[in-house]
Amino acid sequence: MAIAATRLDEDAPDWARFTLYAIGAALVLRWGILALELAPLHFDEAQYWSYGEALDLGYYSKPPLAAWLIRLSTEAFGDTVFGVRFFAPVAHAWIAWLLFATGRRLFDARAGFWASILYLTLPGVTVSSGLMTTDPPMMVGWAGALYALVRALQAEEARAIGDPHGENRDEPLFWWALVGAAVGAGLLAKYTAIAFVGGGIGYALFSRQGSAGARWPIDWRGPGLAILGALLVFSPNLYWNAANDFAAFAHVGDNAKLGGGAALRPDNAIEFVGAQAMIFGPVALVALGAMLAVGGWRGEWSYRLLLWLTLPLILAMTLQAFLSRAHPNWAAPAYVAGSLAVAAWLLDRERVRVLQAAVGSSLAIGLGFYALAGVYAAGHADLPRTPDPFKKMRPNPPICAEALSLRGDLKLLSNDRRLLADCMFAGGLPLERIAIWNSDGPAGNHYELTSSLEDGDAGAYLLLVLRPVDRADGYLRRFAEVEVLKTGAMRTHADRSTPYTIARVSGFQGY
């Protein structure tokens, strides 16, 4: 593909308008669905809310950007489910527009439009747009870095071999600086953003080739400036980690759990790959596999760049699942570039109907997801647990409501950070009003870092644990005074109840 092919075609304004209409419609629809509150907060969302109530440059398990955004949105919309989740669909809307802009630069506006539509309708994006986790803001940084990298490479090539149309005669160092800033912003949301650097390095070392067929020289001041920009934007969290024994980085290593000589888990790898079909969509995933098998893209630098920012992360996470475990969403950033690669390749091969099928199947899965969520929101207690898309989020809120009704002015104590996070959100409790049981010593989460129950604490607490306990229990017998206020089981589904115990305790005698 010659540089001249990146000129904006005559239909670009129409494609841009169509893309904006689609993005705007999806954003308004998703905000409307959020307002219905079909599901309680995920405990991770509640945890990030609690982080945002104590603004900092970092937290034990995560960098700070998600917490900052939640604090901003809840200041505007209140401490509500909608307030917490407001920026999730906004982030995916921005990603969709950045994909259009990138596709228009690499291919044409039609490819950008279809890449944007494909991404917007991905089942994983449908789910992620309803949950304010660290993924949406991190992926905005990823998409921004992709666009800036394309502009930087085009400007480098135009400077090296000439651009008769003059459309790529930008200052490459400007775009390299933006690459770094976008990667740094992604890192402020989630450390997975570092994988973008790995994909970019792989492309530079093994696949870089000019659009005219020659390997043009890169001014290495550009990548150096990108590294500097990333470090500068990411520096607040680096500072926090340095001041806290690099706790968040250590947590990432622990989360991987690659050591210990555990048996290999091919079942986990198969499950992980299967889950990718429900993130990227089954038709789109098959199309990506066909693209790799059939070929026809190896001579195009644009495709090679996109695949370097798609495949290594998927393969790395599949290997992680094979060696230990990997959550399905850990490969989610790969589908930013993957959406554009699949859309452009199908258009090049005049397989528009396959592209339409990919979008249609993803829409059907998304609509089915929302329909199922609505059914369970109306009566989950009378329905079986297994099909509930939000089954893990049902037990804690009603148990928290029960505990908060008995709390008075007591601090809340639990051994479960997830339960604490949900109860903190439900009761609007700051970190100063909770404590966590931490008999292991070293901090294993942010609450243990800031709010561990200490030996010799004589204060009174409301203890909440998710199991039945009695006076001889390992928790209760460590207090001088104990009054069991309530014990029982909270029914969440027709076939599932969650046991719990609430007790007033004081005079902690040590672990």
Side-chain angles (χ1 to χ4, degrees), residues 55 100 106 112 133 138 156 186 192 232 269 312 335 386 388 414 431 446 510:
L55 291 175
F100 169 77
L106 278 179
T133 65
M138 180 270 288
E156 290 277 9
T192 307
L232 182 63
Y335 300 117
T386 300
D388 185 356
S414 181
L431 285 168
H446 191 72

Side-chain angles (χ1 to χ4, degrees), residues 308-384:
W308 268 106
L309 293 170
T310 301
L311 297 180
L313 182 57
I314 297 174
L315 294 175
M317 292 300 103
T318 303
L319 177 62
Q320 163 71 27
F322 180 73
L323 296 175
S324 177
R325 67 183 180 96
H327 294 299
N329 67 299
W330 287 2
Y335 300 117
V336 175
S339 295
L340 179 53
V342 166
W345 183 75
L346 288 173
L347 290 174
D348 277 349
R349 299 180 69 84
E350 298 183 356
R351 296 292 190 268
V352 178
R353 289 188 177 181
V354 177
L355 191 49
Q356 292 170 338
V359 171
S361 62
S362 291
L363 275 174
I365 293 172
L367 290 173
F369 172 82
Y370 283 135
L372 192 60
V375 169
Y376 270 86
H380 57 85
D382 298 319
L383 297 169

Side-chain angles (χ1 to χ4, degrees), residues 202-252:
Y203 170 78
L205 293 178
F206 302 110
S207 293
R208 181 173 58 82
Q209 184 179 5
S211 61
R215 288 175 64 88
W216 75 91
I218 284 184
D219 181 352
W220 289 102
R221 292 179 302 167
L225 185 61
I227 294 172
L228 181 62
L231 290 174
L232 182 63
V233 174
F234 185 52
S235 61
N237 190 241
L238 283 175
Y239 172 81
W240 183 91
N241 270 282
N244 289 274
D245 299 321
F246 293 94
F249 295 165
H251 170 77
V252 171

